């Protein structure tokens, strides 16, 4: 069934270079089944596998997943512990598979706030997958877009104060080079699950011209097929980047 969609994607030809996803609705998925919230996050790991495989199949170059925001540190301690354990479990289970599929993983965010076990796990997955060439997977953890932009502004100010940079040379390129996402093109497509119409402090700079796709599907139910439907919808959109159609 989803292979039929994949064929249609290939016929069209133009696939997003970079897809960003706000994975939302784990809590509601769990509540709907009278389960504790952490079990919703656990089920969300399956959808992470689905979209990674879908991006490999469709030959999307970069996938950025919003896994844990800086604002999420305000959740109850038990839920934060469960999410951090899940991250360690995910990495322990998947690192070999990711390396074999040539996925290179980067973690974007304030890693210094992670507990030692989670920090070791993320350092391990980045080191062990560094040579992947098929898909760049960005896991945004302890990530806030405003904090990322602030960090870039600070780096520019430090370079200017030290005489390494003339303030008149500060252009959009100079800012973009100091963001976590410097090595990759901006996302072409932003997917948000669970129906919420918000960007939630995710990649605010980088999403300037992204196509937005919001689906009511809760994250744990999101499959490769849903990803392909989003890509097909993207292929139907007309992107003008502020210009007019001739
Ligand atoms: C939002 O749902 C989701 C999160 C805060 C966590 C996302 C984490 C995963 C999908 C787990 C696996 C991922 C990795 C990379 C290990 P919510 O809790 O805000 O849901 P709600 O809005 O329904 O309450």
């Amino acid at each position: 069934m989803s292979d039929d969609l994949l064929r249609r994607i290939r016929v069209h030809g133009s696939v997003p270079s970079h897809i960003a996803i706000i994975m939302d609705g784990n809590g509601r998925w769990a509540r709907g089944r009278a389960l504790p919230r952490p079990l919703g996050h656990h089920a969300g790991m399956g959808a992470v596998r689905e979209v990674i495989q879908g991006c490999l199949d469709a030959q999307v170059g970069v996938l950025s997943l919003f896994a844990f925001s800086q604002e999420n540190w305000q959740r109850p301690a038990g839920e934060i512990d469960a999410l951090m354990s899940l991250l360690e479990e995910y990495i322990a289970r998947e690192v070999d598979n990711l390396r074999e599929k040539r996925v290179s993983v980067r973690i974007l965010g304030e890693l210094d706030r992670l507990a030692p076990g989670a920090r070791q796990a993320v350092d391990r997955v980045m080191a062990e997958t560094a040579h992947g060439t098929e898909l760049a997977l960005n896991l945004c953890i302890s990530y806030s877009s405003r904090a990322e932009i602030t960090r870039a502004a600070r780096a520019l100010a430090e370079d200017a104060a030290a005489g390494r940079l003339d303030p008149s040379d500060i252009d959009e390129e100079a800012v973009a080079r100091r963001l976590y996402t410097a090595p990759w093109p901006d996302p072409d497509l932003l997917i948000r699950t669970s129906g919420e119409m918000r960007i939630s402090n995710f990649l605010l700079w980088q999403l300037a011209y992204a196509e937005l796709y919001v689906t009511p599907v809760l994250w744990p139910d999101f499959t490769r097929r849903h990803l392909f439907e989003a890509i097909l919808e993207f292929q139907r959109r007309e992107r003008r980047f502020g210009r007019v159609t001739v």
Side-chain angles (χ1 to χ4, degrees):
M1 276 279 267
S2 50
D3 290 332
D4 171 45
L5 297 189
L6 186 57
R7 264 190 296 279
R8 279 167 54 197
I9 288 171
R10 290 195 176 133
V11 167
H12 186 284
S14 113
V15 169
S17 310
H18 183 172
I19 297 181
I21 306 185
I22 300 177
M23 309 183 287
D24 195 13
N26 296 348
R28 274 161 285 169
W29 184 93
R31 197 170 62 227
R33 289 162 176 75
L35 295 170
R37 290 176 60 82
L39 288 189
H41 299 313
H42 196 272
M45 276 201 300
V48 170
R49 274 183 219 110
E50 288 274 322
V51 292
I52 292 172
Q53 190 55 52
C55 284
L56 287 165
D57 296 339
Q59 295 184 301
V60 171
V62 189
L63 173 64
S64 296
L65 299 178
F66 203 5
F68 190 85
S69 69
Q70 287 205 8
E71 292 74 20
N72 288 155
W73 288 114
Q74 292 158 35
R75 291 193 176 197
E79 185 171 342
I80 294 175
D81 288 349
L83 277 164
M84 291 298 141
S85 307
L86 202 58
L87 178 65
E88 290 180 48
E89 182 188 328
Y90 173 77
I91 291 171
R93 272 217 237 160
E94 297 292 326
V95 65
D96 292 342
N97 187 34
L98 291 166
R99 195 180 44 242
E100 275 157 28
K101 291 189 166 156
R102 297 175 197 269
V103 176
S104 73
V105 181
R106 303 288 308 167
I107 313 293
L108 316 189
E110 276 200 23
L111 298 192
D112 292 346
R113 292 187 71 175
L114 296 183
R119 181 62 203 251
Q120 270 171 17
V122 302
D123 286 344
R124 174 178 172 217
V125 74
M126 287 195 283
E128 293 196 16
T129 64
H131 301 296
T133 49
E134 289 303 298
L135 175 68
L137 172 63
N138 296 325
L139 296 180
C140 301
I141 293 170
S142 190
Y143 174 86
S144 140
S145 182
R146 286 187 172 179
E148 178 189 31
I149 294 169
T150 305
R151 180 175 168 271
R154 195 178 309 118
L156 288 166
E158 282 167 3
D159 285 349
R164 293 187 292 266
L165 177 67
D166 184 335
S168 65
D169 288 335
I170 298 176
D171 54 11
E172 292 184 12
E173 253 320 293
V175 178
R177 269 204 306 276
R178 286 163 177 82
L179 299 175
Y180 295 127
T181 49
W184 303 288
D186 286 343
D188 306 294
L189 173 62
L190 171 72
I191 298 173
R192 182 167 189 147
T193 56
S194 91
E196 308 286 352
M197 303 285 182
R198 286 191 289 275
I199 297 186
S200 300
N201 207 0
F202 187 44
L203 300 174
L204 300 177
W205 174 282
Q206 299 88 334
L207 290 171
Y209 287 103
E211 293 296 322
L212 308 184
Y213 181 88
V214 176
T215 169
V217 174
L218 302 177
W219 178 250
D221 293 327
F222 196 83
T223 62
R224 205 171 74 111
R225 182 174 180 83
H226 293 114
L227 178 79
F228 293 163
E229 282 168 0
I231 295 176
L232 281 166
E233 166 65 22
F234 168 85
Q235 291 180 327
R236 285 191 284 271
R237 303 264 179 100
E238 184 200 5
R239 302 182 80 198
R240 291 195 295 275
F241 300 96
R243 298 185 292 264
V244 292
T245 324
V246 285

